[in-house]
C-alpha cells in the first residue's frame, strides 16, 4: 500500500485502494453497490457563497449512472444574480475526485462537489467553484509565545501548574 493511501481518512480511498484524483464513475458505482449507499448528494456554491445541495435517493443502477454521467439541471438565475432568466439553464456535474462518505447523513450517503456546465455541455466560465468565508476576517498568525497580558496590560492570573505548562 502506498503512503498516499495508508493514512488517508477518506473511506472511498480505503475501499477502492486508489487516490481520490483517480476516481472514475465506475469506481463510484462500485462503491455505492458494495457499501450499500442509499443517497448521493451534489454540492455546489451559489453566488452568495453559500453551499447548495441536491439529494438523490438511489433506487436503481441506471438512475445512478444517469446522474453521475449527465448531472442535474439547476436554475442559474436563482443562484447567480448576473445570469439572465432566459439563459439560466445550468447543469451541475460531479467531480468524482471530491467524493466522500458523508459522516453527518442519517442514511449511507456519498457527497461530491460539482462543476457548472451550460446546456451545450461547455464548462461555464466565471462561476465560482470555491467557497468563500463571507464576513470572516483572514486568519492571523498566532504569536510564538503565549500572551499573558489582558487588554489592560496586567498579567492574567493563573495557577503555577498552568504557568509551567504554558511557559515551560
Amino acid at each position: 500500500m502506498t503512503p498516499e493511501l495508508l493514512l488517508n481518512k477518506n473511506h472511498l480511498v480505503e475501499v477502492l485502494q486508489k487516490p481520490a484524483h483517480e476516481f472514475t464513475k465506475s469506481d463510484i458505482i462500485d462503491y455505492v453497490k458494495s457499501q450499500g449507499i442509499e443517497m448521493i448528494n451534489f454540492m455546489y456554491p451559489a453566488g452568495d457563497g453559500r453551499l447548495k445541495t441536491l439529494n438523490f435517493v438511489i433506487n436503481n443502477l441506471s438512475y445512478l449512472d444517469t446522474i453521475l454521467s449527465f448531472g442535474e439541471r439547476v436554475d442559474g438565475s436563482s443562484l447567480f444574480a448576473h445570469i439572465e432568466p432566459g439563459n439560466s439553464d445550468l447543469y451541475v456535474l460531479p467531480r468524482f475526485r471530491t467524493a466522500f462518505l458523508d459522516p453527518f447523513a442519517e442514511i449511507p450517503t456519498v457527497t461530491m462537489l460539482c462543476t457548472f456546465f451550460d446546456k451545450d455541455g461547455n464548462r461555464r466560465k466565471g462561476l465560482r467553484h470555491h467557497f468563500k468565508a463571507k464576513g470572516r476576517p483572514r486568519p492571523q498568525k498566532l504569536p510564538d509565545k503565549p500572551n499573558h497580558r489582558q487588554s489592560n496590560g496586567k498579567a492574567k492570573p493563573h495557577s503555577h501548574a498552568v504557568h509551567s505548562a504554558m511557559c515551560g
Side-chain angles (χ1 to χ4, degrees):
M1 183 178 295
T2 67
E4 182 179 13
L5 301 180
L6 187 60
L7 297 177
N8 196 302
K9 299 298 181 199
N10 185 335
H11 192 251
L12 278 86
V13 170
E14 181 183 335
V15 170
L16 297 171
Q17 288 295 293
K18 63 175 23 176
H21 69 271
E22 293 180 9
F23 289 171
T24 65
K25 178 179 71 169
S26 180
D27 292 330
I28 303 299
I29 290 171
D30 289 345
Y31 182 84
V32 166
K33 291 189 312 188
S34 71
Q35 300 299 307
I37 301 299
E38 298 175 29
M39 184 177 289
I40 298 287
N41 288 341
F42 287 178
M43 299 181 102
Y44 52 94
D48 62 3
R50 294 184 178 162
L51 190 60
K52 306 293 182 186
T53 305
L54 290 174
N55 312 103
F56 303 95
V57 175
I58 305 305
N59 295 320
N60 62 60
L61 291 177
S62 175
Y63 178 64
L64 176 61
D65 184 68
T66 298
I67 63 169
L68 293 177
S69 298
F70 302 108
E72 184 62 49
R73 192 190 78 75
V74 295
D75 179 16
S77 64
S78 68
L79 297 172
F80 301 98
H82 66 278
I83 294 182
E84 298 290 325
N87 190 23
S88 66
D89 282 353
L90 292 178
Y91 291 83
V92 289
L93 271 83
R95 298 191 310 258
F96 302 131
R97 71 181 177 274
T98 67
F100 65 95
L101 181 63
D102 192 331
F104 303 106
E106 293 182 19
I107 62 173
T109 303
V110 168
T111 297
M112 289 174 267
L113 301 178
C114 294
T115 299
F116 293 103
F117 289 84
D118 65 19
K119 64 181 179 350
D120 298 320
N122 301 311
R123 187 174 183 161
R124 217 26 225 263
K125 303 225 186 279
L127 299 181
R128 283 190 184 96
H129 294 130
H130 62 279
F131 310 100
K132 68 180 184 180
K134 194 171 185 170
R136 293 186 188 154
R138 289 186 176 193
Q140 298 193 3
K141 184 180 177 199
L142 294 174
D144 292 334
K145 296 181 182 177
N147 184 358
H148 299 294
R149 301 263 173 221
Q150 296 177 353
S151 59
N152 63 6
K154 296 182 180 177
K156 296 178 185 175
H158 56 297
S159 73
H160 178 71
V162 171
H163 184 273
S164 296
M166 292 173 60
C167 301

